[in-house]
Amino acid sequence: QNNTWTQLGNTLYGYEDLDYFGTSVDLSGDGSILAVGCSGCAAGGLTPDPGYVRIYNLQANTWTEQETIAGF
């Protein structure tokens, strides 16, 4: 209502410089599940880097990684 954003959980970072972690994001309606796209990331040793989406759950004000989905 007051047009301000409030950070949920800890700050997340990619694993490498220029991996484009956060290229796309989606947050569930209740703010407890976060999907983060990484368009320039290696996934499972595949070449070229197909990218991936990481799924996080918010637990005790910390984002906990639940799953990684590799792009192809």
Side-chain angles (χ1 to χ4, degrees):
Q1 290 181 346
N2 59 7
N3 295 323
T4 61
W5 287 88
T6 301
Q7 180 171 332
L8 299 174
N10 52 306
T11 301
L12 300 173
Y13 298 97
Y15 289 100
E16 299 176 18
D17 291 339
L18 301 176
D19 65 6
Y20 302 106
F21 182 80
T23 301
S24 56
V25 296
D26 198 6
L27 186 64
S28 66
D30 68 358
S32 67
I33 300 172
L34 175 66
V36 181
C38 184
S39 64
C41 299
L46 300 174
T47 302
D49 299 342
Y52 60 71
V53 174
R54 287 218 161 110
I55 309 298
Y56 297 88
N57 282 341
L58 186 62
Q59 300 173 350
N61 206 37
T62 299
W63 291 110
T64 302
E65 186 179 332
Q66 297 300 306
E67 185 174 3
T68 297
I69 303 168
F72 295 100

